[in-house]
C-alpha cells in the first residue's frame, strides 16, 4: 500500500542520543546511532522503498522524561522541538512533528505544547512515560492532580498525546532483577505503559476531559487483550470499582485511545485489536529505527484484512486524527 502514514518513528539529537544505548546489542550501536541521527537521507529512502508517504517524528526515549532537574528539562525540550521544527520545514511533504514535553513542570509542559502546536505546526505530543522530578529516584505519573490543567490544555488544543514506553527505574524494578532480558520491548516497556494508561483511565480524567485522545504503540501494550478482565474480575461479588472513573475502563479504551502497530507485526494481534476497538482506532507504525521499515511495511501490506480496513489503518485514520492536509 502506498501513501502510508507512520507515527512512532524516532530521531535523536546529540544531547539525547546516548539514552538509546543499551537497548540493542553493543555491536549494533554504530548502525542504530546513525539511524537515529539521520532524518533526510536513509530515512527518506526507506520510506520511498516501502510506500510510506509521511512519518510523524518524535524524540527518542527517555530523553526529557529522564531529566530530574525541571529547568534543564524545559530547556532541552525547547531545544529538541526547535531542531525538529527545522528538520520538518525542509521536507514538510514527508515529515510532521510530535512535541517533546517537560512534564516535570506541568505549566511549562502546557506552554511548550501550545507553542509547538500553534507556532511550530506540530500535530501532537510524544511523551516517554513517567517523569523523574527533582530527584533522580522518582517516578511521577500523569493521572496525578497537578496535571489536570495540563490535560485541559491538551483537550483545548485538540492535540493527540502519544504515551510512549520507558523502563521502570531500577529501584522500582525488583521483579526484573537477574532477568535483564525482560526489560525494554520484551516485556517491561509494555507493562509500564499499560499500567500508566490504566491509571489515566481510572482517575476520572476522561470524565472531566472527554475530548482527550491518547495514542499507545505496540498494538496497545497488551491492553486490548486484557481490558475485559480489568473490568470483570470477580464480577459475581457485584463489588463496585474502587476508582473515581464513572465508566468501564473498556469504554475509555474504545473512545479515548488509539493504537498503533509499531513493533508488533503480528496478524493475530491486529485482528484481536480490531475486534476490541474497531479498525477506526488503529494506525500503522513501524518504530524506526528500533525496528526495520521493510519488516513492518511488508507485513502490513500483505496482512489478511480488507482493503478498506488497510486504507483506514495505513492512512486515513491518521489523516483524520492529526488533521493532515487541513
Amino acid at each position: 500500500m502506498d501513501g502510508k502514514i507512520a507515527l512512532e518513528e524516532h530521531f535523536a539529537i546529540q544531547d539525547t542520543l546516548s539514552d538509546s544505548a543499551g537497548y540493542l546489542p553493543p555491536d549494533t550501536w554504530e548502525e542504530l546511532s546513525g539511524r537515529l541521527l539521520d532524518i533526510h537521507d536513509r530515512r527518506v529512502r526507506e520510506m520511498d522503498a516501502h510506500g510510506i508517504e509521511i512519518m510523524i517524528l518524535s524524540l527518542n526515549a527517555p530523553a526529557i522524561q529522564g531529566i530530574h532537574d525541571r529547568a534543564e528539562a524545559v530547556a532541552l525540550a525547547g531545544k529538541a522541538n526547535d531542531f525538529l521544527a527545522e528538520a520538518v520545514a525542509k521536507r514538510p511533504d514527508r515529515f510532521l512533528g510530535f512535541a517533546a514535553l517537560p512534564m516535570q513542570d506541568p505549566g511549562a509542559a502546557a506552554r511548550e505544547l501550545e507553542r509547538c502546536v500553534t507556532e511550530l505546526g506540530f500535530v501532537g505530543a510524544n511523551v516517554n512515560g513517567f517523569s523523574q522530578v527533582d530527584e533522580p529516584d522518582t517516578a511521577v505519573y500523569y493521572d496525578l492532580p497537578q496535571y489536570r490543567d495540563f490535560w485541559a490544555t491538551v483537550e483545548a488544543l485538540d492535540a493527540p498525546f502519544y504515551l510512549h514506553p520507558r523502563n521502570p527505574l531500577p529501584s522500582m524494578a525488583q521483579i526484573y532483577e537477574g532477568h535483564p532480558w525482560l526489560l525494554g520491548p520484551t516485556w517491561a516497556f509494555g507493562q509500564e505503559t499499560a499500567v500508566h494508561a490504566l491509571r489515566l483511565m481510572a482517575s476520572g480524567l476522561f470524565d472531566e476531559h472527554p475530548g482527550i485522545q491518547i495514542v499507545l504503540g505496540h498494538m496497545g501494550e497488551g491492553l486490548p487483550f486484557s481490558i475485559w478482565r480489568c473490568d470483570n474480575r470477580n464480577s459475581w461479588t457485584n463489588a463496585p470499582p474502587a476508582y473515581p472513573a464513572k465508566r468501564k475502563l473498556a469504554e475509555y479504551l474504545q473512545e479515548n485511545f488509539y493504537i498503533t502497530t509499531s513493533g508488533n507485526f503480528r496478524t493475530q494481534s491486529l485482528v484481536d485489536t480490531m475486534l476490541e476497538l474497531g479498525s477506526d482506532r488503529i494506525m500503522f507504525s513501524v518504530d524506526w529505527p528500533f525496528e526495520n521499515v521493510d519488516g513492518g511495511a511488508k507485513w502490513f501490506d500483505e496482512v489478511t484484512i480488507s482493503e478498506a480496513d488497510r486504507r483506514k489503518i495505513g492512512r486515513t485514520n491518521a489523516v483524520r486524527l492529526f488533521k493532515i492536509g487541513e
Side-chain angles (χ1 to χ4, degrees):
M1 172 187 159
D2 289 332
K4 292 190 290 292
I5 297 172
L7 55 133
E8 191 188 317
E9 320 306 333
H10 305 292
F11 75 98
I13 60 176
Q14 286 294 343
D15 306 74
T16 67
L17 180 62
S18 63
D19 284 17
S20 292
Y23 292 115
L24 299 180
D27 61 359
T28 66
W29 178 242
E30 183 177 356
E31 168 73 9
L32 178 60
S33 59
R35 292 182 179 198
L36 279 163
L37 292 172
D38 164 70
I39 293 181
H40 297 106
D41 187 15
R42 178 179 173 181
R43 188 186 300 253
V44 175
R45 294 198 304 272
E46 294 277 355
M47 294 165 66
D48 288 345
H50 300 291
I52 298 176
E53 180 182 342
I54 294 172
M55 278 189 176
I56 306 178
L57 304 180
S58 55
L59 194 61
N60 62 321
I64 309 305
Q65 273 54 70
I67 301 171
H68 66 275
D69 182 272
R70 299 185 192 216
E72 184 181 347
V74 170
L76 189 56
K79 179 178 180 179
N81 291 330
D82 288 342
F83 174 90
L84 179 56
E86 292 179 9
V88 169
K90 293 177 182 178
R91 291 299 306 269
D93 57 325
R94 306 306 300 274
F95 297 115
L96 296 168
F98 279 138
L101 297 179
M103 300 295 287
Q104 294 85 343
D105 182 332
R111 292 190 294 274
E112 182 64 8
L113 178 61
E114 185 169 14
R115 181 181 82 95
C116 287
V117 171
T118 63
E119 298 179 23
L120 302 184
F122 288 5
V123 295
N126 183 302
V127 170
N128 296 310
F130 64 85
S131 289
Q132 291 158 256
V133 183
D134 295 333
E135 300 292 336
D137 197 27
T138 57
V140 178
Y141 294 86
Y142 311 135
D143 59 306
L144 297 175
Q146 62 263 37
Y147 289 101
R148 277 303 199 265
D149 288 345
F150 165 80
W151 288 117
T153 299
V154 170
E155 184 179 44
L157 291 170
D158 195 16
F161 182 100
Y162 205 122
L163 183 62
H164 184 271
R166 63 175 295 187
N167 271 328
L169 298 176
S171 64
M172 303 175 186
Q174 290 87 347
I175 194 172
Y176 300 114
E177 287 181 3
H179 302 276
W181 61 275
L182 283 168
L183 291 167
T186 303
W187 189 256
F189 276 1
Q191 184 271 342
E192 173 68 37
T193 311
V195 171
H196 199 162
L198 288 168
R199 288 179 59 151
L200 293 173
M201 294 177 201
S203 71
L205 172 65
F206 303 112
D207 299 321
E208 185 176 345
H209 298 292
I212 292 171
Q213 297 297 316
I214 308 288
V215 184
L216 298 174
H218 318 109
M219 217 69 82
E221 313 292 4
L223 285 174
F225 327 119
S226 301
I227 198 70
W228 184 91
R229 182 162 168 78
C230 292
D231 279 326
N232 292 279
R233 74 283 170 271
N234 309 129
S235 57
W236 67 271
T237 66
N238 295 318
Y243 52 70
K246 298 177 181 178
R247 305 167 67 190
K248 287 184 176 294
L249 301 177
E251 295 180 37
Y252 301 116
L253 183 64
Q254 293 161 354
E255 295 179 18
N256 296 98
F257 285 79
Y258 282 79
I259 282 169
T260 80
T261 65
S262 61
N264 195 339
F265 314 137
R266 175 74 167 166
T267 300
Q268 291 91 328
S269 300
L270 175 60
V271 171
D272 187 271
T273 304
M274 291 171 68
L275 290 171
E276 189 66 47
L277 274 77
S279 59
D280 289 341
R281 285 195 165 262
I282 307 171
M283 296 177 289
F284 169 76
S285 290
V286 172
D287 206 352
W288 175 266
F290 301 98
E291 303 289 348
N292 279 350
V293 171
D294 58 353
K298 186 175 186 297
W299 164 77
F300 181 74
D301 290 349
E302 297 176 357
V303 68
T304 51
I305 57 176
S306 73
E307 291 307 311
D309 284 336
R310 195 184 324 275
R311 191 71 181 169
K312 284 182 184 180
I313 295 169
R315 179 178 178 84
T316 56
N317 290 343
V319 168
R320 183 184 72 252
L321 179 64
F322 299 108
K323 307 174 188 65
I324 296 172
E326 293 184 8

